[in-house]
């Protein structure tokens, strides 16, 4: 029996389902200001599990009670380092009464595990952990290191991924599989995002005498009405992709006044809006910024006395793309066939992920591939199909053993 066949046979579906359910049952919605609501408990569970498997474990303190947990197989300096990446935070469950299956019960019904994080992405993380354990139990030799990373804050500012990129272990990485829910498709492209926080400043005045002031709300109205034009311009700059929706510009926040009490007869001094700008590969940050600058300038020109400025929230996360010739991609194409008996299916990631940070800051190739329907994250009655979950773990085993073959 080949080492790969042996390692695949050691992926235990029951153990994988149990681990996924354990992780879902530990709520890890991050609620700022509420003590005890971070990724700490689920990270501790992941750490204990990895130590019990005999992984080398590194804990990175990203913020108080917010640790990255990394489990490592293989010796440093012996070859490339492949990361299987997941995050431990989940988004809010919203109103629990809206769920048919309680959000943190991890109910298993008709081959599906339900709960917040079932798809995004405790299942993907569990599949990565079980894949590494199967490889370790098989005794397969590795040329290099396999790292399973359970990072914090993907749903927030991606502090965990940003921190990892500054550490020796992060800088050692040669490639990463991002285990996000993509129906086990191989996604080589991800859309980028810029949250443009726009501030309009005018002059406060009485609502009955608008000629005495300069209304920042009117300038934001012009900007929002102009959003389709900005979208068209960005579409012209960006490359068309078979796997990604074209760029979009979506106003998501509008607020006035910025300070003080809202009153019906007061023109506020300042107002703000946020544009959620999604990108496909092509332009660099300067080219995107120039288009947003011009949209702001058009709005300001229309309303004398009002200035319109913007700044990116959390910087630029540009779209990413990896070529099919990359060794990791080739390893994964073979891995899908070996693990599932079918040809690889290709896809694209509609949003940005921790992989965006790894690609931008480390320059390494990333492939996003994990269990769970692409559209199910952040919904009520989020679920993952057990069959897809097991396939994911098997794909990770085959990809890692191919990429790290001595
Ligand atoms: Zn996710």
């Amino acid at each position: 029996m080949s080492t790969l066949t042996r390692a695949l046979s050691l992926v235990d579906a029951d153990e994988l389902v149990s681990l996924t359910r354990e992780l879902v049952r530990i709520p890890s919605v991050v609620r700022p200001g509420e003590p005890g609501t971070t990724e700490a408990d689920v990270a501790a569970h992941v750490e204990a599990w990895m130590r019990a498997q005999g992984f080398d474990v590194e804990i990175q303190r990203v913020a108080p009670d917010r640790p990255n947990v990394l489990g490592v197989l293989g010796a440093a300096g012996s070859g490339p380092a492949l990361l299987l990446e997941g995050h431990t935070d989940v988004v809010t469950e919203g109103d629990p009464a809206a769920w048919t299956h309680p959000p943190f019960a991890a109910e298993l019904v008709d081959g599906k595990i339900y709960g917040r994080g079932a798809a995004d992405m405790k299942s993907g993380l569990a599949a990565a952990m079980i894949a590494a354990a199967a490889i370790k139990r098989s005794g397969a030799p590795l040329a290099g290191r396999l790292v399973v990373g359970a990072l914090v804050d993907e749903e927030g500012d991606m502090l965990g991924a940003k921190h990892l990129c500054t550490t020796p272990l992060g800088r050692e990485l040669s490639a990463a599989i991002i285990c996000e829910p993509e129906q086990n498709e191989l996604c080589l492209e991800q859309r980028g995002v810029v949250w443009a926080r726009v501030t309009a400043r005018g002059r406060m005045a009485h609502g009955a005498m608008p000629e005495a002031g300069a209304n920042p709300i009117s300038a934001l109205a012009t900007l929002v009405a102009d959003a389709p034009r900005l979208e068209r311009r960005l579409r012209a700059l960006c490359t068309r992709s078979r796997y990604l929706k074209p760029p979009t510009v979506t106003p998501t926040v509008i607020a006035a006044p910025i300070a003080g009490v809202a009153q019906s007869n007061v023109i506020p001094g300042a107002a703000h809006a946020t544009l959620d700008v999604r990108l496909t590969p092509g332009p660099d940050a300067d080219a995107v910024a120039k288009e947003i600058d011009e949209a702001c300038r058009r709005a300001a020109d229309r309303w004398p006395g009002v200035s319109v400025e913007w700044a990116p929230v959390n910087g630029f996360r540009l779209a990413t793309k990896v070529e099919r010739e990359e060794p990791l991609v080739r390893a994964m194409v073979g891995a899908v066939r070996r693990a599932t008996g079918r040809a690889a299916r290709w896809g694209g990631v509609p949003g940005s992920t921790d992989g965006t940070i790894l690609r931008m800051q480390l320059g390494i190739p990333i492939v996003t591939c994990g269990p769970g329907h692409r559209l199910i994250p952040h919904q009520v009655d989020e679920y993952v199909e057990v069959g897809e979950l097991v396939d994911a773990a098997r794909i990770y085993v085959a990809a890692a053993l191919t990429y790290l073959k001595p």
Side-chain angles (χ1 to χ4, degrees):
M1 197 191 288
S2 76
T3 50
L4 174 50
T5 306
R6 180 169 161 70
L8 286 173
S9 75
L10 291 170
V11 172
D12 183 328
D14 292 338
E15 188 184 16
L16 176 52
V17 168
S18 296
L19 179 59
T20 303
R21 298 178 75 193
E22 286 166 21
L23 297 180
V24 171
R25 285 189 190 117
I26 305 171
S28 52
V29 179
V30 178
R31 306 180 201 271
E34 283 183 46
T37 61
T38 67
E39 303 91 341
D41 290 348
V42 71
H45 192 84
V46 170
E47 178 189 355
W49 191 93
M50 286 179 171
R51 290 196 192 280
Q53 303 302 317
F55 296 1
D56 295 325
V57 177
E58 179 172 318
I59 304 297
Q60 301 176 341
R61 308 221 170 272
V62 177
D65 289 326
R66 306 192 71 183
N68 284 345
V69 180
L70 296 120
V72 185
L73 303 183
S78 55
L82 174 64
L83 173 67
L84 294 174
E85 196 268 357
H87 59 83
T88 43
D89 58 327
V90 296
V91 297
T92 178
E93 73 279 25
D95 178 5
W99 290 63
T100 308
H101 305 277
F104 300 107
E107 288 181 354
L108 175 59
V109 182
D110 294 336
K112 294 176 181 168
I113 300 168
Y114 288 88
R116 176 56 81 229
D120 187 13
M121 58 167 291
K122 286 169 169 171
S123 55
L125 176 58
M129 292 161 70
I130 291 289
I135 289 171
K136 181 157 175 60
R137 291 170 194 169
S138 75
L142 298 177
R145 299 219 278 179
L146 179 63
V147 182
V148 178
L151 310 185
V152 296
D153 197 42
E154 195 272 348
E155 303 289 1
D157 296 341
M158 303 189 176
L159 295 176
K162 288 174 183 169
H163 182 91
L164 174 64
C165 291
T166 68
T167 65
L169 185 55
R171 286 195 297 268
E172 189 198 316
L173 296 172
S174 334
I177 299 171
I178 311 300
C179 308
E180 290 271 4
E182 296 296 344
Q183 306 161 187
N184 288 338
E185 292 176 358
L186 302 188
C187 303
L188 307 188
E189 300 176 30
Q190 310 191 93
R191 282 166 107 206
V193 58
V194 181
W195 289 315
R197 189 187 153 95
V198 181
T199 305
R201 292 183 193 283
R203 196 168 60 253
M204 209 173 160
H206 197 300
M209 291 158 281
E211 67 279 9
N215 195 338
I217 294 175
S218 301
L220 289 187
T222 297
L223 180 79
V224 167
D226 196 35
R229 175 168 163 183
L230 175 58
E231 187 176 272
R232 282 194 301 276
R233 293 184 64 94
L234 290 170
R235 286 182 181 195
L237 275 182
C238 291
T239 315
R240 277 172 176 276
S241 164
R242 263 183 77 180
Y243 303 105
L244 300 177
K245 292 239 163 64
T248 45
V249 176
T250 308
T252 50
V253 179
I254 194 148
I258 290 178
V261 181
Q263 291 186 324
S264 300
N265 58 354
V266 178
I267 296 169
H272 101 243
T274 300
L275 301 179
D276 181 330
V277 178
R278 301 286 167 161
L279 302 162
T280 56
D284 62 13
D286 285 349
V288 174
K290 193 163 154 274
E291 294 299 334
I292 302 173
D293 285 346
E294 281 177 18
C296 289
R297 187 186 47 71
R298 287 193 294 269
D301 285 354
R302 169 78 179 75
W303 297 96
V306 180
S307 69
V308 181
E309 288 172 341
W310 75 281
V313 179
N314 272 319
F316 284 75
R317 281 179 263 159
L318 295 174
T320 67
K321 184 174 182 184
V322 167
E323 300 302 327
R324 289 199 186 184
E325 292 70 39
E326 284 285 347
L328 174 63
V329 179
R330 293 216 296 259
M332 292 201 71
V333 169
V336 171
R337 179 160 299 282
R338 187 68 196 263
T340 68
R342 60 164 175 77
R345 285 179 280 116
W346 303 97
V349 184
S352 76
T353 68
D354 280 342
T356 308
I357 304 294
L358 301 177
R359 178 84 176 134
M360 285 181 69
Q361 298 201 4
L362 300 174
I364 59 173
I366 57 161
V367 177
T368 310
C369 173
H373 194 283
R374 180 172 294 128
L375 298 181
I376 202 71
H378 305 194
Q379 292 194 24
V380 161
D381 287 324
E382 180 181 342
Y383 67 89
V384 67
E385 289 182 15
V386 170
E388 217 169 75
L389 173 61
V390 175
D391 277 353
R394 291 169 56 83
I395 292 168
Y396 300 155
V397 166
L401 287 181
T402 307
Y403 184 78
L404 298 172
K405 194 177 174 67

PDB file of all heavy atoms in Angstrom, residues 128-144:
ATOM      1  N   ALA A 128      -8.869  20.066   8.135  1.00  0.00           N
ATOM      2  CA  ALA A 128      -7.417  20.274   8.087  1.00  0.00           C
ATOM      3  C   ALA A 128      -6.738  19.553   9.251  1.00  0.00           C
ATOM      4  O   ALA A 128      -5.685  18.915   9.084  1.00  0.00           O
ATOM      5  CB  ALA A 128      -7.112  21.776   8.135  1.00  0.00           C
ATOM      6  N   MET A 129      -7.333  19.638  10.429  1.00  0.00           N
ATOM      7  CA  MET A 129      -6.763  18.985  11.617  1.00  0.00           C
ATOM      8  C   MET A 129      -6.751  17.457  11.443  1.00  0.00           C
ATOM      9  O   MET A 129      -5.742  16.793  11.723  1.00  0.00           O
ATOM     10  CB  MET A 129      -7.572  19.374  12.866  1.00  0.00           C
ATOM     11  CG  MET A 129      -7.430  20.863  13.241  1.00  0.00           C
ATOM     12  SD  MET A 129      -8.751  21.470  14.345  1.00  0.00           S
ATOM     13  CE  MET A 129      -8.345  20.629  15.883  1.00  0.00           C
ATOM     14  N   ILE A 130      -7.883  16.918  10.970  1.00  0.00           N
ATOM     15  CA  ILE A 130      -7.978  15.454  10.785  1.00  0.00           C
ATOM     16  C   ILE A 130      -7.023  15.000   9.672  1.00  0.00           C
ATOM     17  O   ILE A 130      -6.413  13.924   9.753  1.00  0.00           O
ATOM     18  CB  ILE A 130      -9.443  15.066  10.463  1.00  0.00           C
ATOM     19  CG1 ILE A 130     -10.320  15.274  11.706  1.00  0.00           C
ATOM     20  CG2 ILE A 130      -9.543  13.653   9.907  1.00  0.00           C
ATOM     21  CD1 ILE A 130     -10.096  14.281  12.838  1.00  0.00           C
ATOM     22  N   ALA A 131      -6.875  15.810   8.625  1.00  0.00           N
ATOM     23  CA  ALA A 131      -5.949  15.452   7.535  1.00  0.00           C
ATOM     24  C   ALA A 131      -4.522  15.358   8.070  1.00  0.00           C
ATOM     25  O   ALA A 131      -3.792  14.403   7.777  1.00  0.00           O
ATOM     26  CB  ALA A 131      -6.026  16.501   6.418  1.00  0.00           C
ATOM     27  N   ALA A 132      -4.133  16.340   8.876  1.00  0.00           N
ATOM     28  CA  ALA A 132      -2.766  16.321   9.429  1.00  0.00           C
ATOM     29  C   ALA A 132      -2.587  15.119  10.363  1.00  0.00           C
ATOM     30  O   ALA A 132      -1.533  14.467  10.362  1.00  0.00           O
ATOM     31  CB  ALA A 132      -2.481  17.632  10.163  1.00  0.00           C
ATOM     32  N   ALA A 133      -3.621  14.822  11.145  1.00  0.00           N
ATOM     33  CA  ALA A 133      -3.521  13.675  12.059  1.00  0.00           C
ATOM     34  C   ALA A 133      -3.374  12.372  11.273  1.00  0.00           C
ATOM     35  O   ALA A 133      -2.595  11.491  11.646  1.00  0.00           O
ATOM     36  CB  ALA A 133      -4.748  13.615  12.967  1.00  0.00           C
ATOM     37  N   ALA A 134      -4.128  12.254  10.158  1.00  0.00           N
ATOM     38  CA  ALA A 134      -4.042  11.037   9.339  1.00  0.00           C
ATOM     39  C   ALA A 134      -2.637  10.891   8.765  1.00  0.00           C
ATOM     40  O   ALA A 134      -2.073   9.776   8.713  1.00  0.00           O
ATOM     41  CB  ALA A 134      -5.084  11.070   8.221  1.00  0.00           C
ATOM     42  N   ILE A 135      -2.058  12.008   8.340  1.00  0.00           N
ATOM     43  CA  ILE A 135      -0.694  11.972   7.796  1.00  0.00           C
ATOM     44  C   ILE A 135       0.286  11.563   8.887  1.00  0.00           C
ATOM     45  O   ILE A 135       1.161  10.721   8.678  1.00  0.00           O
ATOM     46  CB  ILE A 135      -0.331  13.346   7.188  1.00  0.00           C
ATOM     47  CG1 ILE A 135      -1.123  13.557   5.895  1.00  0.00           C
ATOM     48  CG2 ILE A 135       1.172  13.459   6.939  1.00  0.00           C
ATOM     49  CD1 ILE A 135      -1.032  14.952   5.308  1.00  0.00           C
ATOM     50  N   LYS A 136       0.118  12.126  10.056  1.00  0.00           N
ATOM     51  CA  LYS A 136       1.029  11.775  11.159  1.00  0.00           C
ATOM     52  C   LYS A 136       0.901  10.296  11.514  1.00  0.00           C
ATOM     53  O   LYS A 136       1.897   9.593  11.659  1.00  0.00           O
ATOM     54  CB  LYS A 136       0.740  12.656  12.376  1.00  0.00           C
ATOM     55  CG  LYS A 136       1.663  12.364  13.552  1.00  0.00           C
ATOM     56  CD  LYS A 136       1.769  13.531  14.507  1.00  0.00           C
ATOM     57  CE  LYS A 136       2.593  13.180  15.747  1.00  0.00           C
ATOM     58  NZ  LYS A 136       3.963  12.787  15.459  1.00  0.00           N
ATOM     59  N   ARG A 137      -0.341   9.822  11.613  1.00  0.00           N
ATOM     60  CA  ARG A 137      -0.559   8.412  11.995  1.00  0.00           C
ATOM     61  C   ARG A 137      -0.024   7.457  10.928  1.00  0.00           C
ATOM     62  O   ARG A 137       0.352   6.329  11.223  1.00  0.00           O
ATOM     63  CB  ARG A 137      -2.052   8.159  12.218  1.00  0.00           C
ATOM     64  CG  ARG A 137      -2.587   8.866  13.454  1.00  0.00           C
ATOM     65  CD  ARG A 137      -4.115   8.785  13.497  1.00  0.00           C
ATOM     66  NE  ARG A 137      -4.655   9.732  14.472  1.00  0.00           N
ATOM     67  CZ  ARG A 137      -5.960  10.034  14.562  1.00  0.00           C
ATOM     68  NH1 ARG A 137      -6.836   9.459  13.746  1.00  0.00           N
ATOM     69  NH2 ARG A 137      -6.375  10.891  15.456  1.00  0.00           N
ATOM     70  N   SER A 138      -0.018   7.910   9.671  1.00  0.00           N
ATOM     71  CA  SER A 138       0.435   7.025   8.581  1.00  0.00           C
ATOM     72  C   SER A 138       1.950   6.866   8.594  1.00  0.00           C
ATOM     73  O   SER A 138       2.481   5.945   7.980  1.00  0.00           O
ATOM     74  CB  SER A 138       0.013   7.604   7.221  1.00  0.00           C
ATOM     75  OG  SER A 138       0.843   8.712   6.876  1.00  0.00           O
ATOM     76  N   GLY A 139       2.634   7.774   9.273  1.00  0.00           N
ATOM     77  CA  GLY A 139       4.092   7.722   9.288  1.00  0.00           C
ATOM     78  C   GLY A 139       4.733   8.160   7.984  1.00  0.00           C
ATOM     79  O   GLY A 139       5.936   7.975   7.779  1.00  0.00           O
ATOM     80  N   ALA A 140       3.935   8.762   7.078  1.00  0.00           N
ATOM     81  CA  ALA A 140       4.482   9.196   5.783  1.00  0.00           C
ATOM     82  C   ALA A 140       5.573  10.239   6.003  1.00  0.00           C
ATOM     83  O   ALA A 140       5.372  11.176   6.773  1.00  0.00           O
ATOM     84  CB  ALA A 140       3.358   9.787   4.927  1.00  0.00           C
ATOM     85  N   PRO A 141       6.711  10.092   5.329  1.00  0.00           N
ATOM     86  CA  PRO A 141       7.760  11.111   5.469  1.00  0.00           C
ATOM     87  C   PRO A 141       7.363  12.378   4.716  1.00  0.00           C
ATOM     88  O   PRO A 141       6.676  12.319   3.694  1.00  0.00           O
ATOM     89  CB  PRO A 141       8.976  10.444   4.815  1.00  0.00           C
ATOM     90  CG  PRO A 141       8.409   9.465   3.848  1.00  0.00           C
ATOM     91  CD  PRO A 141       7.081   9.018   4.395  1.00  0.00           C
ATOM     92  N   LEU A 142       7.775  13.520   5.234  1.00  0.00           N
ATOM     93  CA  LEU A 142       7.483  14.799   4.589  1.00  0.00           C
ATOM     94  C   LEU A 142       8.795  15.487   4.233  1.00  0.00           C
ATOM     95  O   LEU A 142       9.694  15.562   5.070  1.00  0.00           O
ATOM     96  CB  LEU A 142       6.708  15.725   5.541  1.00  0.00           C
ATOM     97  CG  LEU A 142       5.332  15.272   6.029  1.00  0.00           C
ATOM     98  CD1 LEU A 142       4.770  16.296   7.022  1.00  0.00           C
ATOM     99  CD2 LEU A 142       4.377  15.107   4.851  1.00  0.00           C
ATOM    100  N   ALA A 143       8.859  16.004   3.008  1.00  0.00           N
ATOM    101  CA  ALA A 143       9.984  16.888   2.664  1.00  0.00           C
ATOM    102  C   ALA A 143       9.520  18.296   3.009  1.00  0.00           C
ATOM    103  O   ALA A 143       8.831  18.935   2.228  1.00  0.00           O
ATOM    104  CB  ALA A 143      10.296  16.793   1.181  1.00  0.00           C
ATOM    105  N   GLY A 144       9.827  18.756   4.187  1.00  0.00           N
ATOM    106  CA  GLY A 144       9.362  20.068   4.601  1.00  0.00           C
ATOM    107  C   GLY A 144       8.372  19.953   5.736  1.00  0.00           C
ATOM    108  O   GLY A 144       8.329  18.948   6.448  1.00  0.00           O
TER     109      GLY A 144
END
